[in-house]
Amino acid sequence: MLEFSVKSGAPEKQRTSCLIVGIYEARKLSEAAEAIDKASDGHLSALTRRGDMEGELGDTLLIHAVPGIQAERVLLVGLGKERELDLNALNKATAAAVKALHYRGTTECVSHLTELDIKGIELEQILRQSVLAIDAALYRFDQLKSIPDPGPRRPLRKVTFITPSRRALLEAEASLREAMAISSGIHLTKNLGNMPPNICTPTTLAEEARSLAVTHPNLMVEVLDQTRMEALGMHALLAVAKGSREAPKLIVMEHMGGPADEPPIVLVGKGVTFDSGGISLKPGADMDQMKYDMAGAAAVIGIMSVVAELRLPINVVGIVPSVENMPGGDALKPGDIIKSMSGQTIEVLNTDAEGRLILCDALTYAKRYKPETVIDMATLTGACVIALGRVPSGLLSNHKALAQELLKAGETSHDRAWELPLWDEYQPQLKSNFADMANIGGREGGALTAAAFLSRFTKDYRWAHLDIAGTAWNVGENKGATGRPVGLISEFLIKRARANGHAG
């Protein structure tokens, strides 16, 4: 992992291998670039007048031996149109800058991009987004290749961010610590998501949770096996696992950092380590991507690592129901009726609607904690991808204030969600002639009826559901896990700790 730090100071006085400064379109220098230009007697402006750099977003120009400054080199990075500078543009510029240096033998650099003035955006957000953009730009998952990419001989190892003033340093250091913990949690979530399904099984997820508990003594982990789940009546969860040789697991992670009598926030993550669809077999095209059906589980594990690393003074519980959905001889069949832990019965009309079956038992299990809030995250429906694309996660909740809190956390973390309706009018689509409910509600509003199904198991507490089917992984040329919604939920938990008066 990269090392990050913060400090203050004038750009022309920074002793570093490389100084990163920005330039807007129409060759307009940023404030830091202007300071260097002035100290160098117009060296940068002379280059831009010759057309060496126009300032288009993401363009870079490495300049050696700039007179009048302490830095060995200066990297000019394009910021695009000044009036359009936002977090997206900052992320693209930051990523372009570090990629340019990473492959050019620069082991450390100082960035003045964190000094840029973005309307409505605080330094805390800028620092966090800068760290996440850098780690995302340099992330690789090639450890399973016979000859992994060796990468650059002298890679970038340290980035120092400049704060606008010395007074902001204390706040910036705290923000940076949070950013690094979140980045580490996202890294862990990506690695779990990108693992192949023959390696990443329910047992693997349980082992990963246990290893976190070794690293973080403030984290308690318990893993429930099939026998214990049968005793609890988790027949919906166990029904999904029947067709697979992989043993199901219910992973429970507890971080009790707040007062003992404070109700916890419970996070539930869908952990289908491979989803063939079961007897309702999926089409063969892109079925390899069904290894990502445990992205909600990976996110919960990643978030719990953030909570433990920051020692957040609140109570947080992570619950991961994990199975593999396969079409074996004992597999769940369309037409089967199963009894959930809640006592409600479910007619299975489609075995590919299995995520809600493992989640409903986990959401019932969450009741034993008398939770203040429960948030589940799941790659639940392709319908959500059709509705929202791959930009926001779908959000549905039985509590308006909770939904608004999560939406705001999504905006702040730049890991956005969009609220969809959870109206009673969708409930009749789940009607069954033979059981309390069916596990699907037809083609119309698939993301909404899936959430309506889950809502039948969450009536006793404040609950929100994040459908991350469109946001948990990228497709095409950049195929791979994204680590979402670790950023969103981490922001929510950090802000909750501050609001409770426990964190500074």
Side-chain angles (χ1 to χ4, degrees):
M1 297 288 285
L2 276 171
E3 178 185 345
F4 295 100
S5 62
V6 290
K7 68 176 180 177
S8 63
E12 67 274 14
K13 296 180 180 179
Q14 300 301 322
R15 293 184 179 274
T16 177
S17 295
C18 190
L19 198 65
I20 302 173
V21 294
I23 177 173
Y24 299 102
E25 282 190 13
R27 308 174 190 175
K28 181 180 178 182
L29 299 175
S30 65
E31 188 174 333
E34 283 183 345
I36 292 174
D37 192 52
K38 183 178 179 180
S40 64
D41 197 21
H43 192 80
L44 299 190
S45 54
L47 290 173
T48 60
R49 279 196 301 270
R50 290 203 302 264
D52 288 1
M53 185 67 166
E54 295 290 341
E56 289 187 14
L57 183 60
D59 281 356
T60 59
L61 177 65
L62 189 61
I63 309 166
H64 295 259
V66 178
I69 68 170
Q70 300 294 318
E72 295 174 15
R73 296 177 291 177
V74 171
L75 184 75
L76 269 182
V77 58
L79 303 174
K81 293 182 174 63
E82 184 175 12
R83 65 179 179 276
E84 295 178 2
L85 183 65
D86 58 11
L87 280 180
N88 268 329
L90 175 68
N91 287 345
K92 289 178 182 177
T94 302
V98 297
K99 281 183 178 178
L101 297 180
H102 185 64
Y103 293 99
R104 287 177 175 164
T106 302
T107 58
E108 62 85 23
C109 65
V110 172
S111 175
H112 279 269
L113 299 183
T114 43
E115 285 186 305
L116 294 169
D117 184 17
I118 303 176
K119 187 176 181 181
I121 305 299
E122 302 292 332
L123 176 62
E124 175 185 18
Q125 288 175 266
I126 291 175
L127 280 171
R128 184 174 299 175
Q129 287 303 307
S130 297
V131 170
L132 297 186
I134 290 170
D135 278 345
L138 301 183
Y139 174 82
R140 295 291 180 273
F141 188 85
D142 59 3
Q143 52 263 52
L144 298 179
K145 293 183 178 181
S146 58
I147 305 177
D149 179 4
R153 188 173 59 85
R154 299 178 68 241
L156 185 64
R157 299 191 183 280
K158 180 179 180 180
V159 180
T160 301
F161 300 114
I162 298 295
T163 64
S165 67
R166 187 175 293 276
R167 291 194 306 275
L169 273 179
L170 193 61
E171 175 190 343
E173 286 170 354
S175 298
L176 192 62
R177 190 171 74 90
E178 292 173 355
M180 290 165 64
I182 294 169
S183 180
S184 180
I186 290 174
H187 192 96
L188 170 60
T189 301
K190 284 182 177 180
N191 280 350
L192 289 173
N194 286 328
M195 280 186 192
N198 60 319
I199 293 178
C200 187
T201 65
T203 299
T204 307
L205 293 179
E207 289 170 351
E208 188 63 44
R210 286 187 173 119
S211 70
L212 274 180
V214 172
T215 308
H216 302 285
N218 55 324
L219 198 62
M220 302 297 293
V221 173
E222 182 181 20
V223 179
L224 280 63
D225 62 11
Q226 181 163 337
T227 300
R228 293 185 63 188
M229 286 187 275
E230 285 174 348
L232 289 168
M234 291 185 162
H235 302 301
L237 186 158
L238 293 173
V240 179
K242 283 169 58 179
S244 173
R245 294 179 181 178
E246 293 292 342
K249 305 289 182 184
L250 185 79
I251 305 160
V252 182
M253 311 173 73
E254 298 180 358
H255 168 89
M256 298 303 183
D261 60 348
E262 186 175 276
I265 296 168
V266 177
L267 309 175
V268 179
K270 174 186 171 185
V272 180
T273 57
F274 185 76
D275 181 20
S276 69
I279 297 300
S280 306
L281 193 67
K282 290 179 181 290
D286 297 327
M287 200 195 282
D288 65 291
Q289 295 178 25
M290 289 304 97
K291 71 176 186 177
Y292 295 115
D293 213 19
M294 42 63 71
V300 167
I301 293 172
I303 294 162
M304 293 305 295
S305 78
V306 176
V307 171
E309 177 67 27
L310 294 177
R311 293 185 168 272
L312 289 184
I314 54 175
N315 298 328
V316 185
V317 176
I319 300 175
V320 172
S322 187
V323 301
E324 186 180 69
N325 186 24
M326 296 292 284
D330 291 329
L332 185 67
K333 303 174 295 295
D336 283 359
I337 292 178
I338 53 179
K339 189 175 184 180
S340 68
M341 184 182 177
S342 71
Q344 298 176 88
T345 59
I346 304 161
E347 182 184 12
V348 177
L349 299 182
N350 189 318
T351 65
D352 194 25
E354 85 300 331
R356 63 201 73 182
L357 299 179
I358 71 170
L359 286 172
C360 72
D361 278 350
L363 290 168
T364 301
Y365 186 85
K367 286 172 58 176
R368 65 180 47 210
Y369 287 97
K370 297 182 172 56
E372 190 273 340
T373 293
V374 176
I375 303 167
D376 78 75
M377 52 210 79
T379 51
L380 206 61
T381 65
C384 193
V385 188
I386 300 302
L388 298 177
R390 296 188 175 274
V391 180
S393 299
L395 168 66
L396 301 99
S397 178
N398 63 10
H399 194 277
K400 192 66 180 176
L402 173 61
Q404 290 301 312
E405 195 176 354
L406 287 166
L407 290 171
K408 185 176 180 181
E411 291 294 333
T412 302
S413 63
H414 208 57
D415 184 357
R416 293 178 291 182
W418 188 262
E419 189 174 11
L420 296 168
L422 187 68
W423 296 332
D424 289 340
E425 285 85 344
Y426 292 104
Q427 292 290 350
Q429 290 180 238
L430 297 170
K431 184 179 183 299
S432 165
N433 289 343
F434 308 108
D436 295 331
M437 70 194 84
N439 76 323
I440 57 170
R443 294 188 63 188
E444 296 180 359
L448 312 182
T449 55
F453 177 95
L454 295 178
S455 73
R456 297 188 178 202
F457 303 86
T458 61
K459 296 182 183 299
D460 296 329
Y461 46 71
R462 293 176 7 138
W463 162 73
H465 161 64
L466 283 169
D467 193 326
I468 59 172
T471 56
W473 74 94
N474 293 320
V475 296
E477 183 182 350
N478 297 316
K479 184 168 71 174
T482 63
R484 297 176 67 180
V486 173
L488 188 164
I489 301 300
S490 296
E491 173 70 22
F492 168 82
L493 294 173
I494 290 168
K495 286 294 191 290
R496 182 61 72 86
R498 292 174 182 168
N500 287 359
H502 301 319

